[in-house]
Amino acid sequence: MNLDSAPLYAGLANLQLAIDPFELGEGLVLSGTYGRVMSTLTMAFAPPTPERPYGEPWAAVRGGFAFEVGVQLHIPTEFKRNEWFDRLNTIWWIAALVRLRTSPATVIPVISDRPFDAIPERWQEANLLSIEVSPRRILPDDSKRLTLTEDDLLWIREHWLAGGALMYKHREFSTSFQAFDYAASSGSVALALISLWGALEELFSPAKQELRFRVSSSIAAFLEPPGEGRWSLHKSILKLYDARSKVAHGTGGKELEPFRETYHLMRRVLTKILEDNHVPSRVEVEKMLFGCEPIA
């Protein structure tokens, strides 16, 4: 499959649509579909030799993976933009926004060069590429909201293009967003927590000294206007930073709840940046901290 010239249809698993189909703009369309992606494991039990590749017998063993695809994202051949993602990473970006807006449980197990409902007619000619084949291991809450509502879809349509441009222009924002998106894929809650705090420090750390106070107060100033709400958020972020420090220094042990709270905090930060269409500079954040008007 030529990812630069073929039409791309990304299968999104663990997801449904409230509006079907839904046009995102620029030719990108989300629509309902169905497919079950399955993979079993096959093992050989003798090494290869010059005469034959692998010794028999080959045997199917327990394991593998399966995903229920409920939505497909179409990226047309004509979609190309300067200073933006390539077409494959455009698929990741839309899926990442879905995960930001709803639940990180959504994954992209497979990409096809044709609609999924057209594959059975000429399956021999279909080209498929596996992408995300590991489940999202750490979810930030117990409930899984796996339907994109009308509000969700409208929000994604409003912000995906401008948000992608911000990702291209601002390294700190791009790094932080990727850390947020991949946190749920980590096999360790402790590592995910440290990764999220690294992302927050990337955005809100003006210096390497007094990180605990500086980062906490800067995030609170960014998210809340002056007053009791900002003070209360600042105090709660300080506690989350303390939990992060315990993990980083090997004295943790109860990381799940701090991870969940930090995940939701990071979600608020990234959502506000996308809705403002602006990545605040450290000078701007310091001005907010001291009650100055933010720079337009």
Side-chain angles (χ1 to χ4, degrees):
M1 182 192 308
N2 189 325
L3 296 174
D4 293 324
S5 61
L8 301 180
Y9 294 84
L12 278 69
N14 306 323
L15 188 66
Q16 301 294 326
L17 296 176
I19 301 176
D20 183 14
F22 186 83
E23 296 184 2
L24 293 172
E26 300 286 321
L28 277 66
V29 179
L30 289 165
S31 58
T33 188
Y34 180 78
R36 181 172 174 83
V37 182
M38 298 171 285
S39 178
T40 57
L41 298 179
T42 301
M43 289 188 66
F45 298 93
T49 66
E51 292 78 24
R52 60 184 183 182
Y54 288 95
E56 297 179 349
W58 293 10
V61 295
R62 291 183 178 180
F65 61 84
F67 293 97
E68 300 279 338
V69 171
V71 173
Q72 69 181 11
L73 167 64
H74 175 44
I75 310 289
T77 304
E78 300 78 19
F79 179 76
K80 292 181 177 67
R81 295 185 66 88
N82 295 325
E83 298 186 348
W84 221 76
F85 301 109
D86 60 25
R87 297 169 74 240
L88 182 61
N89 281 295
T90 296
I91 291 173
W92 167 79
W93 175 236
I94 299 298
L97 290 176
V98 169
R99 293 189 279 250
L100 173 71
R101 183 73 184 183
T102 57
S103 167
T106 296
V107 295
I108 318 162
V110 66
I111 294 175
S112 170
D113 64 350
R114 63 201 65 202
F116 288 94
D117 60 6
I119 293 175
E121 299 175 6
R122 305 178 69 174
W123 59 268
Q124 299 94 333
E125 300 175 6
N127 293 300
L128 284 85
L129 177 66
S130 59
I131 301 295
E132 297 176 346
V133 294
S134 296
R136 313 283 283 185
R137 297 180 178 89
I138 310 171
L139 298 181
D141 48 47
D142 295 327
S143 62
K144 300 179 182 180
R145 187 166 71 85
L146 302 179
T147 297
L148 279 174
T149 65
E150 181 178 3
D151 287 344
D152 296 330
L153 291 165
L154 291 172
W155 186 90
I156 292 171
R157 182 164 67 187
E158 181 178 357
H159 298 296
W160 72 274
L161 267 177
L166 284 182
M167 290 281 285
Y168 185 87
K169 295 175 183 177
H170 295 274
R171 180 190 62 80
E172 294 88 351
F173 179 56
S174 177
T175 301
S176 299
F177 200 108
Q178 290 179 65
F180 170 83
D181 188 57
Y182 291 122
S185 298
S186 175
S188 164
V189 177
L191 289 177
L193 178 61
I194 292 174
S195 177
L196 288 177
W197 270 104
L200 288 167
E201 290 174 4
E202 183 79 3
L203 289 170
F204 293 104
S205 172
K208 297 304 180 184
Q209 295 80 28
E210 301 178 4
L211 274 180
R212 178 178 180 270
F213 179 83
R214 286 176 175 269
V215 173
S216 301
S217 58
S218 295
I219 296 170
F222 177 65
L223 292 175
E224 294 285 345
E228 290 294 329
R230 178 181 292 184
W231 171 252
S232 177
L233 180 60
H234 167 63
K235 299 297 286 185
S236 66
I237 295 173
L238 285 174
K239 293 179 181 179
L240 293 177
Y241 195 90
D242 289 341
R244 168 257 178 219
S245 298
K246 288 180 180 179
V247 171
H249 296 290
T251 59
K254 297 180 180 179
E255 299 93 3
L256 183 57
E257 192 56 34
F259 162 76
R260 287 174 169 173
E261 292 183 27
T262 304
Y263 186 95
H264 290 300
L265 176 68
M266 188 74 191
R267 172 181 278 163
R268 284 188 63 189
V269 167
L270 297 176
T271 298
K272 181 169 170 45
I273 289 174
L274 289 168
E275 292 177 349
D276 292 346
N277 193 26
H278 179 68
V279 180
S281 70
R282 292 183 172 99
V283 172
E284 289 176 283
V285 173
E286 286 188 350
K287 282 180 173 287
M288 295 176 200
L289 179 61
F290 290 99
C292 301
E293 288 294 327
I295 301 172

